[in-house]
Amino acid sequence: MQTPRLLALDDDPEITEIIAAVASEAGFDVRTTNDHIAFSKALTSFEPTVITLDLNMPSVDGFQLTRILAEQKTTARTILVSGVDTRVIHTASKFISESGVTLAGVIRKPFSISELRQKLHEIKRGTADLSPDDLRAALRGGELRVYYQPKIAVGSHLVGERAGRKPRSPDIEARIVGAEALVRWAHPDRGLLLPDAFIELAEHSRLMVPLTAFVLRSSLEAIVGWRQHGAEFPVSVNLSATLLYDEKLPERLTKLVHDFGLKPADIVLEITEDAAMGDVKTAMEILSRFRLKGFGLSMDDFGTGYTSLRELYRMPFNEIKIDRSFLEDMDETQEARTIVRSITNLAHDLGLSVCAEGVETTEALKAINEIGCDTAQGFLAGRPAPAHEITKTILLRNAAGRKAPYCNLVWVRESS
Ligand code: C2E
Ligand code: MG
Ligand code: MG
């Protein structure tokens, strides 16, 4: 993907500086300007894909600027950043759209950094125009899906060369010891959307509760289904930070699990480091209650946040998942390997189980086996797939006479 280019125009240098910092962090190439002549030149020399436009410049107004954009036939998506009153913004937005310029949104001054950051991320993903109503309708209309990615026991893999096998598909099998539930949106026009495209939207529109409830119910149904085929393993469900402050959640979840005839231990709740480190006191209380009830607790994407060892020790997790960025780097740098080793040793000393995320190759599997990670998740063991695909894997392995559910590595493929 090409790096998106953002051009920011505002007469206040402090504002362009902030926009530049946030946009660079979001992965944009950034150019800023404080006057409209330089802006006009940059439109042709820099060819921005996104523009932030101050409606109220001293020597030129938003309408004149829009004419410049229209004349230059820019295809950039334009965000209005303005402190003028709502009616003027409304008129300007209409004028912009009617001039053939793509309006990607309005940010009202004074704006918060997180609001700007969210808008830029949405634009980068090309999903800026998905609205809370779209997601609400998708939830009601059954457009959300849950895919499952197998988690395998490291060291349980059996390697064998069967005659006639293509070199690309080695005969490697590993025991499935869990699966992670990952939500997808089967959008009628845009195909299968990954969580990156709509999780933040859910967070900001209070749809995280129904979304998570849907993922949980689907996971419990999947567990019951797999059991009927003789395969028993827990499913990990991602829990957003916004849910960690709902004091009734542990009781409600326990009841839900029992309604399906299952136990809390059949569900592992994955929480990212940052989520757990927000309001530590409340989060800790809720997490502890989950643990007491018997749910598994996993710290997701470990190594990307700022958890101190002391906090990790105090938090009631029983697993950490090492972020996949370390696995990606492991082939190239000795440091990444050292980090994975140190995290693993530390976690083991604290009595935590270690899952390596993003295991894509047999080399990576061998490396984490040698380091001593307990479980692995990644494209090697299987891409996220609908529950029935996992069932097929289980049936296939059962037919081969195995008692425990095994998956043939590189077997499960992500499909829509
Ligand atoms: P996560 O919880 O860290 O999930 C692992 C992500 O890594 C998944 O991306 C998975 O498809 C991807 N992955 C797994 N193995 C590999 C590999 O070998 N290579 C590479 N390159 N990627 C791999 P996905 O499904 O796009 O999910 C992204 C994130 O969205 C998740 O990260 C999680 O934070 C969030 N998410 C997904 N489902 C839910 C949900 O139901 N609720 C909440 N709150 N967040 C969710
Ligand atoms: Mg996760
Ligand atoms: Mg993760």
Side-chain angles (χ1 to χ4, degrees):
M1 201 175 76
Q2 262 199 332
T3 309
R5 294 176 299 279
L6 181 138
L7 175 62
L9 171 70
D10 202 298
D11 63 315
D12 182 346
E14 262 183 49
I15 301 265
T16 46
E17 235 172 76
I18 293 172
I19 295 176
V22 176
S24 308
E25 186 201 280
F28 286 79
D29 258 354
V30 185
R31 192 76 59 86
T32 64
T33 156
N34 307 109
D35 82 87
H36 71 282
I37 296 167
F39 173 73
S40 191
K41 281 193 190 138
L43 280 179
T44 38
S45 61
F46 183 56
E47 292 186 4
T49 50
V50 178
I51 292 169
T52 64
L53 202 66
D54 176 12
L55 268 188
N56 226 2
M57 299 285 292
S59 54
V60 54
D61 65 39
F63 294 88
Q64 289 163 296
L65 286 170
T66 306
R67 279 204 191 91
I68 298 176
L69 292 177
E71 275 162 22
Q72 301 221 9
K73 297 199 168 36
T74 177
T75 52
R77 303 176 128 240
T78 302
I79 306 172
L80 289 184
V81 182
S82 182
V84 297
D85 79 67
T86 318
R87 261 183 309 164
V88 179
I89 290 187
H90 184 69
T91 318
S93 307
K94 238 177 119 203
F95 181 71
I96 288 179
S97 299
E98 282 166 6
S99 311
V101 176
T102 311
L103 186 67
V106 178
I107 292 182
R108 297 189 53 101
K109 284 183 194 166
F111 59 83
S112 73
I113 294 211
S114 69
E115 187 187 358
L116 176 65
R117 186 180 290 139
Q118 192 201 344
K119 183 101 255 151
L120 293 177
H121 277 294
E122 285 171 355
I123 289 182
K124 216 174 142 207
R125 294 183 211 115
T127 50
D129 50 341
L130 288 172
S131 72
D133 283 345
D134 293 335
L135 183 56
R136 202 167 287 120
L139 266 160
R140 282 209 203 102
E143 289 174 15
L144 293 196
R145 307 270 179 275
V146 181
Y147 275 32
Y148 301 87
Q149 186 177 36
K151 201 165 135 191
I152 57 169
V154 174
S156 73
H157 51 283
L158 318 164
V159 189
E161 292 293 331
R162 230 188 270 159
R165 285 256 180 168
K166 286 191 213 109
R168 271 198 69 245
S169 59
D171 190 17
I172 303 180
E173 293 174 335
R175 187 156 46 87
I176 303 179
V177 288
E180 178 171 7
L182 296 158
V183 68
R184 271 69 185 127
W185 179 352
H187 195 284
D189 306 322
R190 302 169 194 223
L192 199 69
L193 298 180
L194 294 177
D196 255 12
F198 58 93
I199 283 291
E200 263 178 50
L201 181 65
E203 299 267 16
H204 288 92
S205 48
R206 302 190 179 191
L207 290 171
M208 219 51 226
V209 171
L211 185 145
T212 310
F214 167 76
V215 174
L216 269 163
R217 281 177 182 281
S218 307
S219 303
L220 292 164
E221 267 168 33
I223 296 175
V224 171
W226 292 326
R227 288 215 175 164
Q228 287 164 358
H229 295 292
E232 215 174 298
F233 49 79
V235 169
S236 303
V237 172
N238 292 284
L239 208 61
S240 137
T242 43
L243 301 184
L244 272 191
Y245 306 102
D246 176 355
E247 286 172 15
K248 302 218 174 79
L249 196 63
E251 279 70 32
R252 281 214 308 273
L253 260 186
T254 309
K255 181 171 179 314
L256 184 66
V257 169
H258 288 154
D259 287 348
F260 279 79
L262 298 170
K263 297 185 303 298
D266 296 320
I267 293 287
V268 178
L269 300 167
E270 291 196 3
I271 294 116
T272 56
E273 276 192 85
D274 295 347
M277 295 308 142
D279 173 358
V280 179
K281 196 166 157 281
T282 317
M284 181 120 97
E285 187 199 315
I286 293 183
L287 291 175
S288 304
R289 281 175 38 219
F290 271 125
R291 223 25 227 125
L292 285 173
K293 289 188 180 297
F295 287 92
L297 279 188
S298 174
M299 186 178 268
D300 205 353
D301 304 342
F302 188 79
T304 55
Y306 300 96
T307 319
S308 73
L309 302 183
R310 191 181 144 76
E311 279 160 341
L312 182 62
Y313 171 68
R314 281 171 45 210
M315 288 279 180
F317 289 93
N318 54 345
E319 178 191 74
I320 59 161
K321 291 182 99 170
I322 301 181
D323 191 65
R324 68 167 191 263
S325 54
F326 296 107
L327 270 288
E328 275 164 24
D329 296 346
M330 226 162 61
D331 281 347
E332 272 126 55
T333 70
Q334 191 56 43
E335 285 85 356
R337 205 174 272 248
T338 307
I339 291 173
V340 173
R341 191 186 303 278
S342 315
I343 294 178
T344 304
N345 291 342
L346 169 77
H348 282 164
D349 286 348
L350 294 175
L352 303 165
S353 161
V354 178
C355 175
E357 282 193 289
V359 177
E360 295 186 355
T361 59
T362 40
E363 288 72 39
L365 182 62
K366 276 186 206 137
I368 57 159
N369 185 26
E370 184 259 320
I371 286 172
C373 296
D374 305 284
T375 56
Q377 199 181 315
F379 292 169
L380 179 71
R383 292 190 179 241
H388 62 87
E389 292 278 345
I390 307 277
T391 312
K392 272 200 246 165
T393 315
I394 294 166
L395 289 178
L396 200 80
R397 293 305 105 200
N398 285 0
R402 302 206 189 292
K403 291 238 161 36
Y406 267 73
C407 71
N408 195 327
L409 303 187
V410 298
W411 193 80
V412 187
R413 295 267 169 264
E414 185 151 16
S415 55
S416 54

